[in-house]
Amino acid sequence: MTRIAITALTFGALAVAMALGVTWFVVSPPGDRWEPAVNSFALLAGITGIFAERWAAQREQRNQAIGSIRLEMARNRETLDGEAFSASASRGRRVYPRLVQSAVDSALSSGALSPHRDADLIDLLHRWRTAVASVNRRLELTEMLVFTSASEEKAEQFHTALHRANGFFQGVRALLDEAQAALGDPVRP
């Protein structure tokens, strides 16, 4: 509420000053119009400068958010393509690396992305965020099951499920491909 009041007061004062400056320019004698003209242009520059600064700040915040998300997606790609998730990896008990989502969380909560301009990207990032949370939770549960079980069979079953065609992790990889393509990053072959 305070921000709205300050904005209304600022722009109201600038609008009144601009109207008075233009009126001053119109009613002043032809030889004395330099001062009201300079005053009006200074006010016009102030008004447009406020909008330009806000636009530039939002654009910079969006670019930083997109850059952070790209780095995070690349790190997640390395994790998923890494040795731990490889089909040729050891099938024994192990602790798997987790996917990260802090840049996505930050971008979604900060308002750096425009709900109008980035609607599709925001929807995709929400789906990605849900997938990452699900992957990490599944890994935790599986590790608890594998490490508390006396048999090696559980680890083997998990390894098989991890690399199954059309399985959960294939869907996560496809979603990562889609997210990286939406961000303009090259998609893996």
Side-chain angles (χ1 to χ4, degrees), residues 108 113 118-130 175 178:
L108 291 175
L113 302 175
D118 300 314
D120 293 338
L121 180 60
I122 289 172
D123 178 59
L124 182 60
L125 292 177
H126 277 292
R127 287 189 289 140
W128 171 250
R129 187 180 180 280
T130 301
L175 188 57
E178 188 179 349

Side-chain angles (χ1 to χ4, degrees), residues 58-168:
Q58 288 174 346
R59 184 177 175 92
E60 184 178 321
Q61 185 181 16
R62 181 184 183 277
N63 288 341
Q64 287 176 347
I66 295 291
S68 296
I69 293 170
R70 280 184 176 146
L71 288 174
E72 188 173 273
M73 294 287 181
R75 181 163 184 267
N76 285 328
R77 167 76 59 209
E78 289 175 13
T79 300
L80 287 175
D81 292 344
E83 190 270 334
F85 291 97
S86 168
S88 62
S90 166
R91 295 175 179 244
R93 297 174 182 169
R94 68 179 319 153
V95 174
Y96 288 86
R98 302 299 194 258
L99 299 179
V100 292
Q101 63 182 22
S102 59
V104 171
D105 285 347
S106 177
L108 291 175
S109 64
S110 69
L113 302 175
S114 167
H116 303 290
R117 179 181 173 193
D118 300 314
D120 293 338
L121 180 60
I122 289 172
D123 178 59
L124 182 60
L125 292 177
H126 277 292
R127 287 189 289 140
W128 171 250
R129 187 180 180 280
T130 301
V132 167
S134 182
V135 165
N136 291 340
R137 187 176 53 249
R138 287 174 188 228
L139 289 174
E140 287 173 13
L141 293 173
T142 302
E143 288 166 358
M144 281 194 296
L145 177 68
V146 168
F147 280 103
T148 57
S149 173
S151 75
E152 292 289 327
E153 184 182 343
K154 298 290 183 193
E156 179 64 29
Q157 288 174 350
F158 176 70
H159 188 81
T160 301
L162 187 66
H163 299 289
R164 184 179 59 219
N166 296 326
F168 177 75

